[in-house]
Amino acid sequence: MIMESRIAHGLEGTLQRVRRACEQAGRPTSGVTLVAVSKTQPAQAVRVAYAAGQRHFGENYVQEGLAKIEALGDLRDHLVWHLIGPLQSNKTREVAEHFDWVHSVDRLKIAQRLSDQRPAGLPPLQLCLQVNISEEASKSGVVPSQALALAQAVASLPRVRLRGLMAIPEPAHDEAARRAPHRALHALMASINAALQGGPHPPLDALSMGMSADLEAAIAEGATMVRVGTAIFGERPAPQHQA
Ligand SMILES: *Cc1c(COP(=O)(O)O)cnc(C)c1O
């Protein structure tokens, strides 16, 4: 019962933050999807969040995510599973078979494998390109100057659908510094859409940005998906690296 009330409370508080940020930005609440980041949380925590109304869940580690998707197989048709963590090419098949979205595509080879391996009976896998928007040496993601070329290549793959861009900006202490990278990601998507215009691919419509600490800044700059873990589920134990 303690877990139930903590998660319901975290979820409600987060949805309130999303609603308030949308109001302040003059945007409809329906334009922002909350992806509850359930990494390191037990399957039961996802079940509890589902019972409280949550439908989209994000996982960082492939094996952990697959185990949870399987444990929650009875809810499969009601849940939308997002892979938001790094993806190695030897794990693409299981991801293509079991997830709905991948936010962390940063090279063509991964997208190609996901397209080749997406089962014919499923809708196209929804993809975002992860962009290293602050150009930090330590971060994964395509650098902004290469994003258009990657987007054009991924857009032509048959079994995936390129939806947008994702970023994990550096933590920042003031509002202006928090908003700048989100604004840059939005501008990058606009420039990619300008280049795709007139071609067969529909415009990108997904901006996956904003986490527990900066979801307001991200929504102010146009986020359509915020990925929130701590504010919903509480502090995580130390990360387990098992991608
Ligand atoms: C862990 C994680 C999140 C959620 O972070 P919180 O600060 O717990 O909200 C979002 N996106 C990615 C890629 C993550 O790894």
Side-chain angles (χ1 to χ4, degrees), residues 10-20 29 34 52 54:
L11 201 49
E12 183 46 38
T14 302
L15 287 168
Q16 237 171 56
R17 285 176 63 190
V18 169
R19 280 195 294 271
R20 205 170 303 136
T29 311
L34 174 61
Q54 179 62 25

Side-chain angles (χ1 to χ4, degrees), residues 4 9 27 30 50 78 101 163 175 177 182 206 220 236 240:
E4 272 83 344
H9 188 255
R27 300 180 51 198
S30 60
Y50 168 77
H78 306 288
W101 284 74
R163 292 294 300 275
E175 183 65 8
H182 296 120
R236 285 181 291 273
Q240 334 163 346

Side-chain angles (χ1 to χ4, degrees), residues 182-200:
H182 296 120
R183 186 177 315 149
L185 194 72
H186 195 168
L188 182 61
M189 187 167 85
S191 71
I192 290 171
N193 277 339
L196 292 175
Q197 207 180 8

Side-chain angles (χ1 to χ4, degrees), residues 17 35-40 58-61 83-86 103-104 130 166-168 208-215 226-236:
R17 285 176 63 190
V35 178
V37 176
S38 45
K39 65 183 179 200
T40 77
E59 288 287 335
N60 267 65
Y61 310 107
L83 181 71
I84 62 172
H103 293 225
S104 47
Q130 183 173 351
M166 179 273 234
I168 312 173
S208 168
M209 55 188 196
M211 321 200 323
S212 292
D214 63 352
L215 72 87
V226 292
R227 309 176 310 268
V228 178
T230 313
I232 297 172
F233 295 106
E235 292 294 334
R236 285 181 291 273

Side-chain angles (χ1 to χ4, degrees), residues 48 70 134 218 230:
V48 166
E70 193 184 343
S134 318
T230 313

Side-chain angles (χ1 to χ4, degrees), residues 134-175:
S134 318
E135 305 206 45
E136 294 167 82
S138 61
K139 283 282 173 67
S140 42
V142 61
V143 294
S145 61
Q146 307 279 313
L148 173 59
L150 180 58
Q152 285 171 323
V154 173
S156 71
L157 297 172
R159 297 290 302 136
V160 294
R161 163 96 189 275
L162 180 62
R163 292 294 300 275
L165 305 180
M166 179 273 234
I168 312 173
E170 269 184 304
H173 293 293
D174 67 281
E175 183 65 8

